[in-house]
């Protein structure tokens, strides 16, 4: 990990420049980063209260010295996002070295792979071939560049996923406190991943430990997190939301289609296949050994529950078209790609450069190349759709 002494500060600067360029490239009317910086300024001046998921806005104000200045808050936000992305890179690289023992040949390969996980993207079929040429809309993307809160959430969701998986492998009661701390961080940044975590983690713990004390102790952090989630719901939808006919709430609304977007529901299964083509093909070619893998089932259930939440839970009122119950898919799709990449690297160690392994790695590379093209497209067109 010595190479990080050089890579991390350079990467931090490059990512800050990238986020600031994107913030300026995307029109304010369609840019969540502009909105989030504006929310921070409004919270700083007292125009609106700090809502349930307050942490990003508070940190923006802290690092802009509570000036409520447009340029200062936007720069502060981009610095925060750059730090979060570098931290995700660091965690990714650390996990690569932890799971697949590094040797001299992987000295620079693993940093490149960790960097590639910041860009990996879907193969946008059929979305790109419609009249609107969508690369993002209608797909199950593992990375976004325009939403501040999900970008800041990423490393902390990864930490929660990894630590909870360790609890599934070898139980440690002290680890419950760390899990609870990460649950709070996740909730205070953006509750998206916790909505999935609270569904999947207890199922996995129940399967592993049955109704033993390990299971019941592991439920305590979840129960406390659920109480915080309820408080957030009240703050966001009942207190901070406007008391009008346009007020928002959460509803069970299967397969809601945003009328503002021209997305054909019949393309959902096709988009899912091409969105996850690399991890899906890896699973198909290695299904026998994966069925015995606890990590595979944890990752699969995490992704499936994230999609179910998106399909069945929606918002009403002014937030109906915001798509806030999509964001957990970004996190869990990224997990699918990363877990498949880790497994493929282990296969290279054990099996060598077989045709199957080279083909899968080539497919992963295509996903990364498309992600780089998507990033450049945002900068050139100001369109992240």
């Amino acid at each position: 990990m010595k190479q990080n002494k050089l890579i991390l500060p350079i990467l931090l600067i490059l990512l800050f420049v990238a986020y600031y360029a994107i913030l300026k490239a995307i029109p304010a009317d369609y840019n969540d980063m502009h909105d989030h910086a504006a929310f921070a300024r409004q919270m700083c001046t007292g125009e609106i209260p700090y809502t349930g998921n307050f942490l990003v806005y508070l940190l923006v104000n802290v690092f802009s010295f509570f000036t409520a200045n447009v340029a200062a808050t936007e720069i502060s936000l981009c610095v925060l996002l750059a730090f979060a992305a570098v931290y995700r890179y660091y965690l990714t690289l650390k996990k690569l070295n932890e799971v697949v023992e590094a040797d001299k040949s992987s000295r620079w390969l693993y940093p490149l792979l960790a960097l590639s996980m910041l860009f990996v993207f879907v193969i946008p079929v059929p979305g790109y071939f419609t009249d609107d040429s969508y690369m993002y809309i209608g797909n199950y993307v593992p990375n976004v560049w325009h939403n501040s809160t999900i970008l800041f959430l990423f490393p902390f969701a990864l930490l929660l996923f990894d630590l909870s998986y360790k609890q599934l492998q070898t139980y440690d009661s002290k680890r419950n406190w760390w899990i609870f701390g990460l649950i709070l961080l996740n909730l205070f940044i953006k509750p998206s991943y916790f909505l999935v975590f609270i569904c999947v983690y207890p199922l996995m713990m129940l399967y592993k430990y049955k109704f033993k004390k390990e299971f019941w102790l592991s439920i305590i952090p979840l129960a406390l997190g659920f109480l915080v989630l309820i408080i957030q719901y009240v703050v966001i939808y009942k207190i901070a939301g406007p008391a009008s006919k346009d007020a928002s709430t959460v509803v069970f609304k299967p397969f809601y289609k945003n009328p503002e977007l021209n997305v054909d529901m019949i393309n959902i299964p096709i988009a899912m296949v091409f969105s996850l083509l690399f991890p899906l093909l890896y699973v198909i070619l290695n299904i026998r050994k994966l069925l015995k893998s606890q990590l595979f089932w944890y990752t699969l259930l995490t992704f499936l529950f994230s999609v179910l939440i998106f399909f069945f839970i929606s918002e009403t009122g002014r937030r109906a078209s915001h798509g806030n119950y999509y964001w957990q898919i970004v996190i869990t799709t990224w997990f699918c790609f990363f877990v498949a990449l880790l497994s493929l690297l282990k296969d290279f160690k054990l099996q060598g450069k077989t045709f199957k392994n080279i083909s899968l790695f080539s497919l992963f590379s295509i996903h990364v190349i498309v992600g780089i093209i998507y990033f450049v497209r945002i900068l050139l067109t100001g369109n992240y759709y």
Side-chain angles (χ1 to χ4, degrees):
M1 303 288 282
K2 291 182 179 179
Q3 63 267 34
N4 279 333
K5 293 180 180 179
L6 178 63
I7 293 175
L8 293 181
I10 294 175
L11 185 59
L12 179 65
I13 294 170
L14 291 175
L15 284 167
F16 167 75
V17 172
Y19 286 122
Y20 194 72
I22 288 172
L23 184 144
K24 294 302 181 184
I26 300 176
D29 292 344
Y30 302 97
N31 194 336
D32 292 348
M33 294 168 69
H34 274 290
D35 289 343
H36 293 163
F39 292 159
R41 292 192 296 272
Q42 290 174 308
M43 290 174 189
C44 184
T45 58
E47 293 177 55
I48 59 175
Y50 282 95
T51 55
N53 54 324
F54 63 89
L55 192 55
V56 170
Y57 310 116
L58 176 61
L59 289 174
V60 167
N61 286 328
V62 168
F63 289 105
S64 61
F65 304 103
F66 293 95
T67 59
N69 175 270
V70 174
T73 52
E74 289 182 350
I75 289 172
S76 175
L77 178 61
C78 292
V79 169
L80 283 173
L81 298 185
F83 268 108
V86 168
Y87 190 35
R88 177 165 39 132
Y89 163 86
Y90 169 79
L91 293 173
T92 305
L93 180 56
K94 183 180 178 183
K95 198 65 185 177
L96 285 168
N97 284 286
E98 177 186 315
V99 173
V100 189
E101 289 186 17
D103 51 33
K104 290 182 179 179
S105 63
S106 58
R107 181 182 176 186
W108 289 106
L109 174 62
Y110 286 3
L112 286 174
L113 289 176
L115 182 62
S116 74
M117 286 303 302
L118 297 177
F119 289 91
V120 69
F121 203 67
V122 303
I123 297 172
V125 176
Y128 190 73
F129 299 98
T130 64
D131 292 339
D132 299 288
S133 300
Y134 290 143
M135 292 187 74
Y136 163 71
I137 297 296
N139 294 308
Y140 303 79
V141 300
N143 276 303
V144 295
W145 291 93
H146 66 281
N147 185 272
S148 317
T149 46
I150 202 68
L151 287 165
F152 195 73
L153 174 65
F154 243 115
F156 304 105
L158 175 56
L159 280 172
L160 182 55
F161 178 82
D162 185 52
L163 201 63
S164 60
Y165 174 64
K166 289 178 179 176
Q167 198 74 319
L168 285 166
Q169 292 179 299
T170 308
Y171 183 83
D172 182 351
S173 58
K174 294 179 181 178
R175 197 178 285 136
N176 284 330
W177 292 106
W178 289 104
I179 289 174
F180 177 58
L182 285 169
I183 285 173
L184 289 181
L185 268 176
N186 274 254
L187 285 168
F188 293 152
I189 297 168
K190 196 180 191 79
S192 301
Y193 175 62
F194 180 71
L195 298 177
V196 180
F197 183 77
I198 199 173
C199 297
V200 179
Y201 182 59
L203 291 177
M204 296 295 296
M205 292 296 286
L206 180 61
Y207 179 79
K208 177 69 182 287
Y209 298 108
K210 310 306 178 189
F211 287 104
K212 298 177 183 177
K213 70 173 185 178
E214 289 87 351
F215 168 74
W216 294 112
L217 288 174
S218 70
I219 293 298
I220 295 174
L222 289 173
L224 294 173
F226 184 66
L227 288 176
V228 175
L229 183 66
I230 292 174
I231 294 171
Q232 282 188 316
Y233 173 83
V234 173
V235 170
I236 293 172
Y237 292 98
K238 303 300 181 181
I239 297 176
S244 67
K245 293 181 180 180
D246 199 33
S248 296
T249 188
V250 178
V251 294
F252 179 78
K253 197 171 184 180
F255 298 98
Y256 167 75
K257 182 180 178 182
N258 187 344
E260 297 179 12
L261 299 173
N262 183 28
V263 178
D264 196 337
M265 297 291 284
I266 200 171
N267 290 332
I268 286 176
I270 303 172
M272 185 175 289
V273 168
F274 282 94
S275 294
L276 292 107
L277 195 56
F278 164 66
L280 183 61
L281 191 58
Y282 183 86
V283 169
I284 291 171
L285 296 177
N286 296 276
I287 187 64
R288 287 186 179 181
K289 70 173 182 178
L290 289 176
L291 290 176
K292 302 174 184 178
S293 168
Q294 200 171 53
L295 180 58
F296 165 72
W297 286 109
Y298 193 26
T299 308
L300 176 63
L301 288 175
T302 296
F303 174 75
L304 291 178
F305 270 88
S306 73
V307 173
L308 288 174
I309 290 170
F310 174 60
F311 281 164
F312 292 99
I313 306 297
S314 299
E315 292 174 294
T316 62
R318 63 190 179 88
R319 299 164 65 102
S321 63
H322 290 189
N324 285 321
Y325 287 93
Y326 170 81
W327 295 116
Q328 70 281 352
I329 289 179
V330 179
I331 298 285
T332 60
T333 303
W334 191 92
F335 288 165
C336 291
F337 274 88
F338 187 47
V339 170
L341 177 62
L342 287 173
S343 301
L344 179 59
L345 291 175
K346 286 193 286 187
D347 291 346
F348 270 108
K349 284 280 185 180
L350 295 173
Q351 304 166 3
K353 297 178 181 179
T354 64
F355 176 77
K356 179 182 74 173
N357 292 341
I358 292 174
S359 299
L360 285 168
F361 188 78
S362 299
L363 180 56
F364 173 78
S365 301
I366 292 171
H367 279 280
V368 175
I369 292 169
V370 174
I372 295 171
I373 293 171
Y374 174 66
F375 171 77
V376 173
R377 181 177 185 251
I378 293 175
L379 293 178
L380 294 178
T381 67
N383 180 5
Y384 65 83
Y385 281 6

